[in-house]
Amino acid sequence: MTPEIGHFALILAFALSLAQAPALLIGARAQDARFAAFGQRAAILIFGLVAVSFFSLMHAYAISDFSVSNVFENSHTAKPFIYKLTGTWANHEGSMLLWALILTLFSGVLAAQGRAAPRDLLLLTLGVQALIVSAFLAFILFTSNPFLRLFPAPLDGTGLNPLLQDPGLAIHPPFLYLGYVGFSIPFSFAVAALIRGKADTVWARLVRPWALIAWVFLTIGIALGSWWAYYELGWGGWWAWDPVENASLMPWLAGTALIHSVRVVERRDAMKGWAVLLAITAFSLSLVGTFLVRSGVITSVHAFAVDPTRGVFILMILMAAIGGSLSLFALRANSLSATGAFAAVSREGALVVNNVLMLVACAVVFVGTFYPLFIDVLSSEKISVGAPYFNFIFAPLASVTLILAAVGTLLAWKKADLGASVKKLWPAAAAALVMAIIVAVIADRARISGAFAMGLVVWLAGGAMIDIAGRINLFRAPFSQSLARAKGLPGAAWGAAIAHCGIALFAVGAASMSLWKTEVVQLMAEGDRAEIAGYSVTLQSVERISGPNYEAERATFLATKNDQRVMLAGERRFYPVRGMETSEAAIRARGMNDLYISFGANKSGNGWPVRLFFNSLVGFLWLGAAVTAFGGLVAFGDRGRKPAKLRDRKPAPAAVEAAPA
């Protein structure tokens, strides 16, 4: 009975969303408080109904109700209970229901907490959001129903893809979706601004926290995905420029540009067109990523859909959302007149350059991801675009962006003295030069590129620290005064500095993995030894073990370096229900460096193929991602100074005030 409750709740949510969208748009246009109140209450009620639907599906997974087709296809009685629950979204239908849950959650929060917004802006934004909700609920109900029944009910299920039975990938999709879907709110605000013909400092102040929290969640989601790929797939890497990875990177790049642009609108009432366009772009790229994964055009552990009907439906949503919003932008962009003028050499000018570089980087990733698909459609010829293309073009763009970022943080608003700003960076330049010389001397290979990369990250982090030091008058005033200024510094300033330092830390790990990773491949029998990066690694034993729903070979390695001995264990697991194998790498983390070992099957009977990696400074990848996300959270906590237009706005009509808070 529970699946029927979930299905019925989903139908009610869809019907209510169809009524909600026109009610909100009428309420905004006709200034009708009754329609407005209904639309706001409906947003909260729709979230409640979708939550009932989602947890009904989760309950079916928890009790292994194999009469539900979705549970039968993605679960098994022998599967650990935690993966029964996370299996709710580890499939196409369930993942889209999770998408709808997060989408309606954000709409409900906006409806409940949006009283500070001008009434027409709030209602138009909620109306656009309701249209998006309607489209995705229709997609679920008509093409991806998670509650279809099987009769008679099977005795057991077919199990879950073993690669998805992992803590990292269990929590990765919710964070990724919080980022993807979070950009729907800035998108809806952007469309509402175009309809109103007005995007001012009030609009920017409302958009900024939504853009920031979506960016933070997407940062965490991408980091979790790369961490899982690193330790679970046994290939010794963290990023392969896979189409699904690229699908998450593109909205992150656009979102990074968006949060900078919205800040300019909020502070200077400038770059309004940029902010609106980037809000549209960030969510549009999220939808493109959804189409890429859910349409069946690629095959990946992340890609669930194979039914072309679903791909066509998502393509229609994508065309309506992107085509409609960009058409509206083309028609109404001239109405977003800016009052804040600025010179080319200014912080605003630097951010314009930043936006251009970010969009060019998006275009590079987009072309590399979709070009093989276009060729396949047009000529049925299979081609691939791999890491060399992306590294050759993307790396220089990223380098230029990081160089300019350190300069841009020190430029004044409106008009700046470039020479004076650059002079302030001499400590960062000196530290970068020292670091480059050190790396060039001690590096055993990639001396020039390594020296440039390490110098660049010191330059970026140094620029962020010099900016903060200048703001608090460090070394130019008594320490007590600097401390007091530091306490009073806006969270946005601290958040930007922390995020820039986080990106610098991340760049250390990315550069090191690219330039100084060491690999040894060797066929090893028990007792054999391999040498890598000063480690002597001996294969001690290989034994067969049994897990809750798998059989495995466990290899035990003894690693010795400088008279220190450590035991490592890796596994090759076989899941009988799915007939699939996975690998569990043996990883010895010491500081920021990893000794990484994976092994294959002993098909010849002469030994196991063992791949050993020494990954220098790899820990900086995830430390940097964590620091970057933390910087975003610090900036999110800064609500800034309330604009006069918002402070002096008259209260909304009583009927709207009666909406649930």
Side-chain angles (χ1 to χ4, degrees), residues 234-236 445 516-524 528-538 557 594-600 608-615:
W235 61 302
R445 63 179 188 274
W516 296 305
K517 181 170 69 173
T518 304
E519 178 181 3
V520 172
V521 180
Q522 185 171 322
L523 192 66
M524 300 179 70
D528 285 352
R529 180 179 300 175
E531 305 289 335
I532 184 171
Y535 281 96
S536 179
V537 180
T538 303
F557 298 90
D594 282 358
L595 173 62
Y596 183 108
I597 308 172
S598 64
F599 73 105
W608 291 264
V610 177
R611 300 180 69 188
L612 302 98
F613 300 89
F614 184 74
N615 295 328

Side-chain angles (χ1 to χ4, degrees), residues 54 57-58 61 70-71 73-75 79 82-98 159-166 169-171 173-174 177 294 300-305 578:
F54 180 81
L57 182 62
M58 181 174 282
Y61 270 91
N70 186 264
V71 179
E73 293 173 355
N74 298 284
S75 192
K79 188 170 65 173
I82 183 62
Y83 297 127
K84 290 182 180 179
L85 296 182
T86 61
T88 307
W89 57 78
N91 58 85
H92 171 74
E93 293 83 1
S95 67
M96 294 313 301
L97 189 56
L98 175 63
L160 179 66
N161 186 332
L163 290 173
L164 304 179
Q165 297 183 43
D166 177 87
L169 210 62
I171 60 176
Y177 284 8
R294 309 298 169 189
S300 166
V301 65
H302 312 74
F304 305 121
R578 280 279 181 147

Side-chain angles (χ1 to χ4, degrees), residues 439-564:
V439 172
V441 170
I442 67 173
D444 58 350
R445 63 179 188 274
R447 295 175 185 270
I448 296 177
S449 54
F452 173 77
M454 293 299 107
L456 179 60
V457 299
V458 171
W459 165 263
L460 176 62
M465 290 186 284
I466 289 171
D467 177 45
I468 292 296
R471 288 172 181 267
I472 65 176
N473 284 334
L474 189 63
F475 307 126
R476 293 183 296 174
F479 181 74
S480 59
Q481 292 184 16
S482 295
L483 184 61
R485 290 177 67 92
K487 291 179 180 179
L489 205 61
W494 280 114
I498 293 170
H500 282 192
C501 288
I503 291 172
L505 292 173
F506 173 84
V508 170
S512 298
M513 283 289 285
S514 174
L515 300 173
W516 296 305
K517 181 170 69 173
T518 304
E519 178 181 3
V520 172
V521 180
Q522 185 171 322
L523 192 66
M524 300 179 70
E526 293 181 349
D528 285 352
R529 180 179 300 175
E531 305 289 335
I532 184 171
Y535 281 96
S536 179
V537 180
T538 303
L539 177 57
Q540 295 283 87
S541 63
V542 179
E543 58 181 343
R544 293 188 176 275
I545 63 170
S546 296
N549 61 334
Y550 61 84
E551 302 293 326
E553 279 188 327
R554 173 176 290 172
T556 303
F557 298 90
L558 171 64
T560 305
K561 183 177 184 179
N562 299 330
D563 297 326
Q564 293 185 348

Side-chain angles (χ1 to χ4, degrees), residues 175 212 215-227 238 252 494-507 509 592 618-635:
F175 277 100
L212 275 168
W215 182 82
V216 167
F217 280 130
L218 189 55
T219 301
I220 296 172
I222 293 172
L224 287 172
S226 66
W227 177 58
W238 63 280
W252 187 90
W494 280 114
I498 293 170
H500 282 192
C501 288
I503 291 172
L505 292 173
F506 173 84
M592 290 295 167
V618 65
F620 280 106
L621 286 170
W622 298 289
L623 174 63
V627 172
T628 301
F630 178 69
L633 287 176
V634 172

